[in-house]
Amino acid sequence: MDMSQLALGFAAALTPESLFYCFLGAFLGTAIGVLPGIGATATIALLLPITLSLGPLSAIIMLSGIYYGSQYGGSTTAILIRIPGEGSSVVTAIDGYRMAQRGEAGVALATAAIGSVVAGSFATLLIGALALPLSAVALKFGAPEYFALITLGLIASVTLAHGSVPKSLAMVIVGIMLSMVGTDLYTGTRRLTFGERSLADGISFVVISVGIFGLGEVIRTIGAPTDRDLITAKVQGLFPTRAQFRQMAAPILRGTAIGSLLGLLPGAGATLSSFAAYAAEKRFVRGPHKLGHGAIEGVAAPEAANNAAAQTSFIPMLTLGLPANPVMALMIGALVIQGIRPGPNVISANPTLFWGLVASMWIGNLILVVLNLPLIRLWVMLLRIPYRYLAPAIVALCVMGVYGTAFSVAEVWLITGFAAFGYALYRFGFEPAPLLMGFVLGPLLEEQLRRALIISKGSPLIFVERPISAALLALSVLVLAAMMLPRLRRRRATVFQEPEAI
């Protein structure tokens, strides 16, 4: 890690403007993590239009704070009301809520906070350490290698996400097709516009994300059950004992290691990391308070894992331009809106942006601890707000935000259509996240495919003649084939069904 560059990052992150947006992102992230049914993806999608009025560094600091802040906030609802605010906090609800029922809600919340800070700080260190080597490797990639790498990323996002593999694969294809709507930059020919002039410039990333993940999520959540068994007793004992510190130390380290590794993989992210860390702890926890019965290890490990994964997922996004999850796809969209294309040149071309973001993550993790433990009463009050009062405000933000980006009524109609489409996907069991991945990576996939075919004068053999691209494509086929095996499909489904026991 270049210490002079890191000093440059802290200089940028410690300005009043950066500190304000870091605080705002951490606060909003915790709030939407606390409120079940909103989530980081929908919130970031809603705020994309607002980032147009911000500088690139302020925008990315705020959005990233929302993301890792939501991982922290999700544990509050999981512990206090047994309803995870985020998918990554599902397993936290198993032992965290049992601890709260025993009168140990304060210890559970403190454990989640400590695990989040330790894991987040280590993961941020990894970002600074691995970014330069990965960028150097990526600069040596040609068009065939990039095409194969993007293909592997899309396949991994399908196989590591929950839901049916064929349905997820179909969503990726739909996303790629939607990204092709508009005018072909090579030939100037309009494609898939059906004669609509408003589609000549393509479908806006903001329209897709706000429609499916903003309005669509509102429609879906309104029909969800809202019963909440809230722990109403005063939350006390926020400082763990020495024995409890010893109990949580090893799980936090193991969860950090698992989350840091899985966060780098496309499609894995915070949710799968928390499940993997919880499964790993089953091999170590023994005694009367074993996992599932209020063990402190069942809170420490998954909370460390999901926060580590949330932050290491920035590494492939920034250095390779490949999103590891839907939130990172939204981050790419936010940077593209600002005129910045994430990839191997982002560190050299925008050092203040990159190192400022890294420094802000350390600051943000400290803000989360200082901010949230004293505000437990506020979050408990927030949990009492019925979602039916929040929904109209979210809808208004969606409409105003999209209209304000282009002052086009056509785009308002488009988000309405995509909201209905998103709800239909949910009703028929289709996961919309791979669609967003396909939409973001579709133009890059097409561009690298065309470049490779131009280099080879139209011969597709270029993808198998070059060893790196051939190896990546072979790995893509093997991963997809393996996930179609009945035994692996069953194990994959079991991982995401286990927490239903709570």
Side-chain angles (χ1 to χ4, degrees), residues 1-2 125-141 315 319-320 344 347 354-355:
M1 185 184 298
D2 191 331
L125 185 66
L126 276 185
I127 295 175
L130 296 181
L132 286 173
L134 278 177
S135 295
V137 171
L139 286 171
K140 298 179 181 178
F141 276 28
I315 296 176
T319 59
L320 302 176
I347 299 178
F354 178 82
W355 293 107

PDB file of all heavy atoms in Angstrom, residues 1-2 125-141 315 319-320 344 347 354-355:
ATOM      1  N   MET A   1       0.845  -1.191   0.000  1.00  0.00           N
ATOM      2  CA  MET A   1       0.000   0.000   0.000  1.00  0.00           C
ATOM      3  C   MET A   1       0.886   1.248   0.000  1.00  0.00           C
ATOM      4  O   MET A   1       1.821   1.349   0.800  1.00  0.00           O
ATOM      5  CB  MET A   1      -0.911   0.011   1.232  1.00  0.00           C
ATOM      6  CG  MET A   1      -1.913   1.155   1.238  1.00  0.00           C
ATOM      7  SD  MET A   1      -2.902   1.199   2.759  1.00  0.00           S
ATOM      8  CE  MET A   1      -3.743  -0.369   2.670  1.00  0.00           C
ATOM      9  N   ASP A   2       0.595   2.169  -0.886  1.00  0.00           N
ATOM     10  CA  ASP A   2       1.358   3.408  -1.000  1.00  0.00           C
ATOM     11  C   ASP A   2       0.875   4.391   0.077  1.00  0.00           C
ATOM     12  O   ASP A   2      -0.238   4.906   0.019  1.00  0.00           O
ATOM     13  CB  ASP A   2       1.154   4.005  -2.400  1.00  0.00           C
ATOM     14  CG  ASP A   2       2.122   5.142  -2.684  1.00  0.00           C
ATOM     15  OD1 ASP A   2       2.533   5.809  -1.717  1.00  0.00           O
ATOM     16  OD2 ASP A   2       2.432   5.367  -3.871  1.00  0.00           O
ATOM     17  N   LEU A 125      -8.414  -2.401   4.690  1.00  0.00           N
ATOM     18  CA  LEU A 125      -6.968  -2.574   4.506  1.00  0.00           C
ATOM     19  C   LEU A 125      -6.688  -3.441   3.284  1.00  0.00           C
ATOM     20  O   LEU A 125      -5.758  -3.173   2.509  1.00  0.00           O
ATOM     21  CB  LEU A 125      -6.376  -3.210   5.760  1.00  0.00           C
ATOM     22  CG  LEU A 125      -4.855  -3.372   5.811  1.00  0.00           C
ATOM     23  CD1 LEU A 125      -4.181  -2.009   5.841  1.00  0.00           C
ATOM     24  CD2 LEU A 125      -4.446  -4.197   7.032  1.00  0.00           C
ATOM     25  N   LEU A 126      -7.506  -4.469   3.087  1.00  0.00           N
ATOM     26  CA  LEU A 126      -7.338  -5.330   1.910  1.00  0.00           C
ATOM     27  C   LEU A 126      -7.572  -4.573   0.606  1.00  0.00           C
ATOM     28  O   LEU A 126      -6.892  -4.823  -0.394  1.00  0.00           O
ATOM     29  CB  LEU A 126      -8.311  -6.512   1.979  1.00  0.00           C
ATOM     30  CG  LEU A 126      -7.895  -7.736   2.779  1.00  0.00           C
ATOM     31  CD1 LEU A 126      -8.948  -8.829   2.625  1.00  0.00           C
ATOM     32  CD2 LEU A 126      -6.538  -8.259   2.345  1.00  0.00           C
ATOM     33  N   ILE A 127      -8.542  -3.673   0.616  1.00  0.00           N
ATOM     34  CA  ILE A 127      -8.820  -2.890  -0.595  1.00  0.00           C
ATOM     35  C   ILE A 127      -7.569  -2.130  -1.011  1.00  0.00           C
ATOM     36  O   ILE A 127      -7.149  -2.147  -2.177  1.00  0.00           O
ATOM     37  CB  ILE A 127      -9.991  -1.915  -0.366  1.00  0.00           C
ATOM     38  CG1 ILE A 127     -11.288  -2.682  -0.117  1.00  0.00           C
ATOM     39  CG2 ILE A 127     -10.162  -0.987  -1.578  1.00  0.00           C
ATOM     40  CD1 ILE A 127     -12.463  -1.790   0.242  1.00  0.00           C
ATOM     41  N   GLY A 128      -6.940  -1.453  -0.043  1.00  0.00           N
ATOM     42  CA  GLY A 128      -5.734  -0.700  -0.358  1.00  0.00           C
ATOM     43  C   GLY A 128      -4.569  -1.578  -0.770  1.00  0.00           C
ATOM     44  O   GLY A 128      -3.757  -1.198  -1.620  1.00  0.00           O
ATOM     45  N   ALA A 129      -4.492  -2.798  -0.176  1.00  0.00           N
ATOM     46  CA  ALA A 129      -3.358  -3.680  -0.462  1.00  0.00           C
ATOM     47  C   ALA A 129      -3.499  -4.394  -1.800  1.00  0.00           C
ATOM     48  O   ALA A 129      -2.503  -4.614  -2.507  1.00  0.00           O
ATOM     49  CB  ALA A 129      -3.205  -4.704   0.661  1.00  0.00           C
ATOM     50  N   LEU A 130      -4.721  -4.788  -2.169  1.00  0.00           N
ATOM     51  CA  LEU A 130      -4.905  -5.612  -3.375  1.00  0.00           C
ATOM     52  C   LEU A 130      -5.236  -4.818  -4.625  1.00  0.00           C
ATOM     53  O   LEU A 130      -5.134  -5.342  -5.732  1.00  0.00           O
ATOM     54  CB  LEU A 130      -6.030  -6.631  -3.130  1.00  0.00           C
ATOM     55  CG  LEU A 130      -5.785  -7.679  -2.041  1.00  0.00           C
ATOM     56  CD1 LEU A 130      -6.981  -8.610  -1.942  1.00  0.00           C
ATOM     57  CD2 LEU A 130      -4.523  -8.481  -2.326  1.00  0.00           C
ATOM     58  N   ALA A 131      -5.646  -3.578  -4.456  1.00  0.00           N
ATOM     59  CA  ALA A 131      -6.122  -2.810  -5.611  1.00  0.00           C
ATOM     60  C   ALA A 131      -5.031  -2.619  -6.662  1.00  0.00           C
ATOM     61  O   ALA A 131      -5.257  -2.855  -7.856  1.00  0.00           O
ATOM     62  CB  ALA A 131      -6.660  -1.464  -5.152  1.00  0.00           C
ATOM     63  N   LEU A 132      -3.853  -2.198  -6.252  1.00  0.00           N
ATOM     64  CA  LEU A 132      -2.776  -1.933  -7.217  1.00  0.00           C
ATOM     65  C   LEU A 132      -2.328  -3.195  -7.946  1.00  0.00           C
ATOM     66  O   LEU A 132      -2.196  -3.186  -9.179  1.00  0.00           O
ATOM     67  CB  LEU A 132      -1.600  -1.262  -6.512  1.00  0.00           C
ATOM     68  CG  LEU A 132      -1.822   0.214  -6.135  1.00  0.00           C
ATOM     69  CD1 LEU A 132      -0.667   0.725  -5.285  1.00  0.00           C
ATOM     70  CD2 LEU A 132      -1.981   1.070  -7.385  1.00  0.00           C
ATOM     71  N   PRO A 133      -2.065  -4.335  -7.242  1.00  0.00           N
ATOM     72  CA  PRO A 133      -1.694  -5.558  -7.977  1.00  0.00           C
ATOM     73  C   PRO A 133      -2.758  -6.025  -8.961  1.00  0.00           C
ATOM     74  O   PRO A 133      -2.440  -6.437 -10.083  1.00  0.00           O
ATOM     75  CB  PRO A 133      -1.482  -6.589  -6.858  1.00  0.00           C
ATOM     76  CG  PRO A 133      -1.176  -5.786  -5.650  1.00  0.00           C
ATOM     77  CD  PRO A 133      -1.967  -4.523  -5.790  1.00  0.00           C
ATOM     78  N   LEU A 134      -4.029  -5.968  -8.558  1.00  0.00           N
ATOM     79  CA  LEU A 134      -5.098  -6.392  -9.467  1.00  0.00           C
ATOM     80  C   LEU A 134      -5.200  -5.474 -10.674  1.00  0.00           C
ATOM     81  O   LEU A 134      -5.437  -5.933 -11.797  1.00  0.00           O
ATOM     82  CB  LEU A 134      -6.436  -6.426  -8.732  1.00  0.00           C
ATOM     83  CG  LEU A 134      -6.739  -7.676  -7.906  1.00  0.00           C
ATOM     84  CD1 LEU A 134      -8.064  -7.531  -7.193  1.00  0.00           C
ATOM     85  CD2 LEU A 134      -6.747  -8.916  -8.781  1.00  0.00           C
ATOM     86  N   SER A 135      -5.028  -4.179 -10.452  1.00  0.00           N
ATOM     87  CA  SER A 135      -5.071  -3.235 -11.575  1.00  0.00           C
ATOM     88  C   SER A 135      -3.938  -3.508 -12.553  1.00  0.00           C
ATOM     89  O   SER A 135      -4.120  -3.428 -13.769  1.00  0.00           O
ATOM     90  CB  SER A 135      -4.979  -1.798 -11.057  1.00  0.00           C
ATOM     91  OG  SER A 135      -6.102  -1.477 -10.284  1.00  0.00           O
ATOM     92  N   ALA A 136      -2.760  -3.834 -12.027  1.00  0.00           N
ATOM     93  CA  ALA A 136      -1.615  -4.130 -12.890  1.00  0.00           C
ATOM     94  C   ALA A 136      -1.871  -5.367 -13.739  1.00  0.00           C
ATOM     95  O   ALA A 136      -1.528  -5.414 -14.934  1.00  0.00           O
ATOM     96  CB  ALA A 136      -0.356  -4.314 -12.044  1.00  0.00           C
ATOM     97  N   VAL A 137      -2.499  -6.372 -13.142  1.00  0.00           N
ATOM     98  CA  VAL A 137      -2.828  -7.590 -13.903  1.00  0.00           C
ATOM     99  C   VAL A 137      -3.886  -7.280 -14.958  1.00  0.00           C
ATOM    100  O   VAL A 137      -3.798  -7.727 -16.105  1.00  0.00           O
ATOM    101  CB  VAL A 137      -3.326  -8.690 -12.945  1.00  0.00           C
ATOM    102  CG1 VAL A 137      -3.875  -9.879 -13.733  1.00  0.00           C
ATOM    103  CG2 VAL A 137      -2.196  -9.144 -12.032  1.00  0.00           C
ATOM    104  N   ALA A 138      -4.889  -6.504 -14.574  1.00  0.00           N
ATOM    105  CA  ALA A 138      -5.983  -6.199 -15.494  1.00  0.00           C
ATOM    106  C   ALA A 138      -5.502  -5.409 -16.709  1.00  0.00           C
ATOM    107  O   ALA A 138      -6.059  -5.549 -17.808  1.00  0.00           O
ATOM    108  CB  ALA A 138      -7.072  -5.420 -14.766  1.00  0.00           C
ATOM    109  N   LEU A 139      -4.479  -4.585 -16.526  1.00  0.00           N
ATOM    110  CA  LEU A 139      -3.960  -3.797 -17.651  1.00  0.00           C
ATOM    111  C   LEU A 139      -3.350  -4.677 -18.737  1.00  0.00           C
ATOM    112  O   LEU A 139      -3.201  -4.250 -19.882  1.00  0.00           O
ATOM    113  CB  LEU A 139      -2.924  -2.783 -17.153  1.00  0.00           C
ATOM    114  CG  LEU A 139      -3.496  -1.573 -16.394  1.00  0.00           C
ATOM    115  CD1 LEU A 139      -2.376  -0.765 -15.769  1.00  0.00           C
ATOM    116  CD2 LEU A 139      -4.330  -0.697 -17.326  1.00  0.00           C
ATOM    117  N   LYS A 140      -2.991  -5.900 -18.387  1.00  0.00           N
ATOM    118  CA  LYS A 140      -2.397  -6.823 -19.355  1.00  0.00           C
ATOM    119  C   LYS A 140      -3.456  -7.625 -20.115  1.00  0.00           C
ATOM    120  O   LYS A 140      -3.128  -8.392 -21.018  1.00  0.00           O
ATOM    121  CB  LYS A 140      -1.432  -7.775 -18.639  1.00  0.00           C
ATOM    122  CG  LYS A 140      -0.257  -7.066 -17.971  1.00  0.00           C
ATOM    123  CD  LYS A 140       0.652  -8.037 -17.247  1.00  0.00           C
ATOM    124  CE  LYS A 140       1.810  -7.303 -16.569  1.00  0.00           C
ATOM    125  NZ  LYS A 140       2.699  -8.227 -15.817  1.00  0.00           N
ATOM    126  N   PHE A 141      -4.710  -7.457 -19.732  1.00  0.00           N
ATOM    127  CA  PHE A 141      -5.790  -8.179 -20.393  1.00  0.00           C
ATOM    128  C   PHE A 141      -6.123  -7.515 -21.721  1.00  0.00           C
ATOM    129  O   PHE A 141      -6.172  -6.290 -21.827  1.00  0.00           O
ATOM    130  CB  PHE A 141      -7.046  -8.204 -19.513  1.00  0.00           C
ATOM    131  CG  PHE A 141      -7.057  -9.299 -18.489  1.00  0.00           C
ATOM    132  CD1 PHE A 141      -5.877  -9.809 -17.978  1.00  0.00           C
ATOM    133  CD2 PHE A 141      -8.252  -9.818 -18.021  1.00  0.00           C
ATOM    134  CE1 PHE A 141      -5.883 -10.818 -17.030  1.00  0.00           C
ATOM    135  CE2 PHE A 141      -8.278 -10.825 -17.069  1.00  0.00           C
ATOM    136  CZ  PHE A 141      -7.087 -11.321 -16.570  1.00  0.00           C
ATOM    137  N   ILE A 315     -13.460  -4.154  -4.344  1.00  0.00           N
ATOM    138  CA  ILE A 315     -12.186  -4.394  -5.037  1.00  0.00           C
ATOM    139  C   ILE A 315     -12.399  -4.739  -6.513  1.00  0.00           C
ATOM    140  O   ILE A 315     -11.851  -4.070  -7.392  1.00  0.00           O
ATOM    141  CB  ILE A 315     -11.368  -5.487  -4.317  1.00  0.00           C
ATOM    142  CG1 ILE A 315     -10.983  -5.008  -2.912  1.00  0.00           C
ATOM    143  CG2 ILE A 315     -10.117  -5.845  -5.117  1.00  0.00           C
ATOM    144  CD1 ILE A 315     -10.262  -6.053  -2.084  1.00  0.00           C
ATOM    145  N   THR A 319     -11.306  -2.032  -9.490  1.00  0.00           N
ATOM    146  CA  THR A 319     -10.093  -2.369 -10.240  1.00  0.00           C
ATOM    147  C   THR A 319     -10.366  -3.042 -11.576  1.00  0.00           C
ATOM    148  O   THR A 319      -9.586  -2.887 -12.520  1.00  0.00           O
ATOM    149  CB  THR A 319      -9.190  -3.295  -9.404  1.00  0.00           C
ATOM    150  OG1 THR A 319      -9.902  -4.497  -9.074  1.00  0.00           O
ATOM    151  CG2 THR A 319      -8.772  -2.610  -8.115  1.00  0.00           C
ATOM    152  N   LEU A 320     -11.465  -3.805 -11.661  1.00  0.00           N
ATOM    153  CA  LEU A 320     -11.771  -4.532 -12.893  1.00  0.00           C
ATOM    154  C   LEU A 320     -13.011  -4.002 -13.600  1.00  0.00           C
ATOM    155  O   LEU A 320     -13.276  -4.367 -14.744  1.00  0.00           O
ATOM    156  CB  LEU A 320     -11.962  -6.029 -12.597  1.00  0.00           C
ATOM    157  CG  LEU A 320     -10.785  -6.748 -11.938  1.00  0.00           C
ATOM    158  CD1 LEU A 320     -11.158  -8.185 -11.611  1.00  0.00           C
ATOM    159  CD2 LEU A 320      -9.557  -6.713 -12.834  1.00  0.00           C
ATOM    160  N   PRO A 344      -9.143  -0.820 -14.445  1.00  0.00           N
ATOM    161  CA  PRO A 344      -7.735  -0.810 -14.020  1.00  0.00           C
ATOM    162  C   PRO A 344      -7.082   0.559 -14.028  1.00  0.00           C
ATOM    163  O   PRO A 344      -6.061   0.766 -13.373  1.00  0.00           O
ATOM    164  CB  PRO A 344      -7.057  -1.752 -15.026  1.00  0.00           C
ATOM    165  CG  PRO A 344      -7.998  -1.854 -16.179  1.00  0.00           C
ATOM    166  CD  PRO A 344      -9.366  -1.683 -15.612  1.00  0.00           C
ATOM    167  N   ILE A 347      -7.358   3.982 -10.564  1.00  0.00           N
ATOM    168  CA  ILE A 347      -6.451   4.406  -9.492  1.00  0.00           C
ATOM    169  C   ILE A 347      -5.485   5.467  -9.990  1.00  0.00           C
ATOM    170  O   ILE A 347      -5.236   6.471  -9.302  1.00  0.00           O
ATOM    171  CB  ILE A 347      -5.680   3.196  -8.935  1.00  0.00           C
ATOM    172  CG1 ILE A 347      -6.658   2.172  -8.347  1.00  0.00           C
ATOM    173  CG2 ILE A 347      -4.691   3.636  -7.858  1.00  0.00           C
ATOM    174  CD1 ILE A 347      -5.999   0.921  -7.827  1.00  0.00           C
ATOM    175  N   PHE A 354     -10.218   7.239  -5.504  1.00  0.00           N
ATOM    176  CA  PHE A 354      -9.996   5.889  -4.987  1.00  0.00           C
ATOM    177  C   PHE A 354      -9.523   5.912  -3.533  1.00  0.00           C
ATOM    178  O   PHE A 354     -10.124   5.291  -2.658  1.00  0.00           O
ATOM    179  CB  PHE A 354      -8.981   5.149  -5.859  1.00  0.00           C
ATOM    180  CG  PHE A 354      -8.668   3.767  -5.349  1.00  0.00           C
ATOM    181  CD1 PHE A 354      -9.496   2.707  -5.641  1.00  0.00           C
ATOM    182  CD2 PHE A 354      -7.558   3.546  -4.544  1.00  0.00           C
ATOM    183  CE1 PHE A 354      -9.227   1.442  -5.148  1.00  0.00           C
ATOM    184  CE2 PHE A 354      -7.277   2.288  -4.046  1.00  0.00           C
ATOM    185  CZ  PHE A 354      -8.114   1.230  -4.356  1.00  0.00           C
ATOM    186  N   TRP A 355      -8.447   6.631  -3.267  1.00  0.00           N
ATOM    187  CA  TRP A 355      -7.888   6.627  -1.919  1.00  0.00           C
ATOM    188  C   TRP A 355      -8.773   7.406  -0.951  1.00  0.00           C
ATOM    189  O   TRP A 355      -8.797   7.100   0.253  1.00  0.00           O
ATOM    190  CB  TRP A 355      -6.467   7.179  -1.932  1.00  0.00           C
ATOM    191  CG  TRP A 355      -5.525   6.271  -2.673  1.00  0.00           C
ATOM    192  CD1 TRP A 355      -4.975   6.475  -3.899  1.00  0.00           C
ATOM    193  CD2 TRP A 355      -5.059   4.995  -2.234  1.00  0.00           C
ATOM    194  NE1 TRP A 355      -4.188   5.410  -4.263  1.00  0.00           N
ATOM    195  CE2 TRP A 355      -4.214   4.485  -3.265  1.00  0.00           C
ATOM    196  CE3 TRP A 355      -5.248   4.228  -1.086  1.00  0.00           C
ATOM    197  CZ2 TRP A 355      -3.581   3.254  -3.164  1.00  0.00           C
ATOM    198  CZ3 TRP A 355      -4.608   2.998  -0.987  1.00  0.00           C
ATOM    199  CH2 TRP A 355      -3.787   2.525  -2.007  1.00  0.00           C
TER     200      TRP A 355
END
